[in-house]
Amino acid sequence: MKISAYPSIAVVAILLSACSESPEQVALEQGKAIWEGTCAVCHAQGLAGSPPIGNKKMWAKRIEKGLPVLFEHAKNGFSGETGLMPPRGGNEDLTDHQVELAVKYMVSQSQ
Amino acid sequence: MKNTLKMTLAASSIAILTACGGDKEAGISPQQFTDALHLVMDSDRAVYTKKVVGRLTKEEKVIKASEHFMDDKALPLPAQMFRFGAETVAEKTDEFTYSLQSLWPINSQNAPVTAVEKEGLQFIVDNPGKNFYKEETLGGKNYFTAIYPDVAVAPVCASCHNDHKDSPKTDFKVGDVMGGVVIRVPLG
């Protein structure tokens, strides 16, 4: 009886190992949820001159500027060549950390 | 010689058919068509908003933009510019129509009329970032109707509507879906 239980424990351990996410993955998941709640309204398809998520052509020039610049633009707003980024996407309730998570998620999907 | 000519003609025909896609279906879907139309509309509107209205009113400060642009000798608002384009297209063709509508229109003429328009405008409010697509039958004719969200991207978008005496909604904020672009294409 005891012997037959060992394989089950091993299988569970392997499954748990396979399911565990790295901190980076967890952060991306959190960023995705924030993005869906606020940023998607424009960035899902690139409304009003905004770069749509996944559009590598539009994002390349922006990603070149570096994450700190993108963070700053997302937090404080930015008037770019093609559109207007409102501070925190118009959601004043978002913390700096949440904005950064959303930006990182959008960048991860666009390079 | 004749056989060679026949074979050459046959080979050429096959090559031409292959190059043309043979008997594969040609064309694009109604959704691809409306998505492409919306991409052009949204891009043109963003350019007008940014490069014309924003530059001349805020950066160079040489002219204002006003709802009463004729009386005020000002620039039409981006939404008005959009609507004028829709009216011009409606005069030229029946192949498609488009309009800017809202569940909270300043002008009641811009309220949804059909059941699909009402359903779609509510859908894009409830599902940020998503479009709405549905077929509908109007007057015995089938149509493909697509509805795209129209978002308040600047404080002036929200404040202009909130402060307008005819606005049924006065708590818009940046990031809100204020209405939608309705594109309708006849089917069949």
Side-chain angles (χ1 to χ4, degrees):
Chain A
M1 193 69 176
K2 282 182 182 175
I3 294 171
S4 64
Y6 287 134
S8 301
I9 293 169
V11 168
V12 170
I14 291 168
L15 289 174
L16 282 174
S17 170
C19 291
S20 66
E21 292 182 313
S22 68
E24 290 78 12
Q25 287 171 317
V26 172
L28 285 180
E29 286 299 319
Q30 291 173 335
K32 181 183 180 186
I34 296 161
W35 181 86
E36 288 173 343
T38 295
C39 321
V41 69
C42 286
H43 286 286
Q45 47 191 325
L47 294 183
S50 65
I53 191 167
N55 187 319
K56 295 177 182 177
K57 186 176 180 182
M58 282 191 83
W59 273 99
K61 287 183 288 185
R62 291 164 171 84
I63 292 173
E64 273 180 14
K65 295 177 181 176
L67 278 175
V69 173
L70 299 181
F71 290 159
E72 200 276 325
H73 288 172
K75 290 172 191 170
N76 302 317
F78 178 65
S79 182
E81 284 187 22
T82 59
L84 177 72
M85 171 69 202
R88 296 170 202 276
N91 186 350
E92 295 174 356
D93 294 335
L94 289 183
T95 65
D96 284 356
H97 180 59
Q98 287 173 317
V99 172
E100 291 178 7
L101 287 174
V103 170
K104 282 181 180 174
Y105 168 70
M106 196 149 38
V107 167
S108 76
Q109 302 300 304
S110 309
Q111 56 188 1
Chain B
M1 184 68 177
K2 279 184 179 176
N3 282 344
T4 308
L5 181 61
K6 281 181 182 173
M7 287 178 68
T8 306
L9 285 172
S12 301
S13 300
I14 291 168
I16 290 168
L17 282 173
T18 304
C20 292
D23 58 354
K24 286 180 185 172
E25 271 191 32
I28 60 173
S29 69
Q31 185 176 327
Q32 286 175 310
F33 179 58
T34 58
D35 282 356
L37 286 175
H38 179 256
L39 180 64
V40 175
M41 292 172 194
D42 186 67
S43 298
D44 283 353
R45 189 166 163 202
V47 168
Y48 178 68
T49 303
K50 180 80 186 169
K51 308 274 188 189
V52 179
V53 177
R55 179 174 60 84
L56 295 178
T57 62
K58 290 183 180 174
E59 295 172 26
E60 301 183 16
K61 298 181 179 171
V62 294
I63 190 170
K64 289 181 180 175
S66 165
E67 177 187 2
H68 309 290
F69 59 91
M70 294 287 279
D71 293 338
D72 296 345
K73 300 195 184 306
L75 295 171
L77 300 173
Q80 290 176 305
M81 194 73 169
F82 186 86
R83 188 156 288 120
F84 295 150
E87 290 168 1
T88 303
V89 167
E91 288 178 4
K92 290 182 176 175
T93 182
D94 294 324
E95 294 296 318
F96 71 96
T97 61
Y98 68 97
S99 57
L100 189 57
Q101 299 186 11
S102 175
L103 295 170
W104 313 278
I106 286 177
N107 184 334
S108 59
Q109 287 184 326
N110 302 317
V113 175
T114 73
V116 166
E117 289 173 349
K118 291 172 185 169
E119 180 187 353
L121 287 169
Q122 189 62 57
F123 177 88
I124 58 172
V125 169
D126 296 338
N127 298 274
K130 291 187 178 174
N131 305 324
F132 177 85
Y133 305 99
K134 198 163 192 175
E135 291 185 17
E136 61 182 333
T137 304
L138 301 169
K141 195 167 184 179
N142 293 330
Y143 294 89
F144 178 81
T145 299
I147 304 182
Y148 302 84
D150 199 55
V151 181
V153 292
V156 68
C157 303
S159 63
C160 186
H161 275 254
N162 290 341
D163 298 341
H164 198 286
K165 63 180 176 59
D166 296 325
S167 178
K169 184 175 165 71
T170 56
D171 60 350
F172 283 116
K173 58 184 187 305
V174 172
D176 282 353
V177 174
M178 303 177 77
V181 175
V182 179
I183 306 177
R184 182 172 284 118
V185 184
L187 297 171

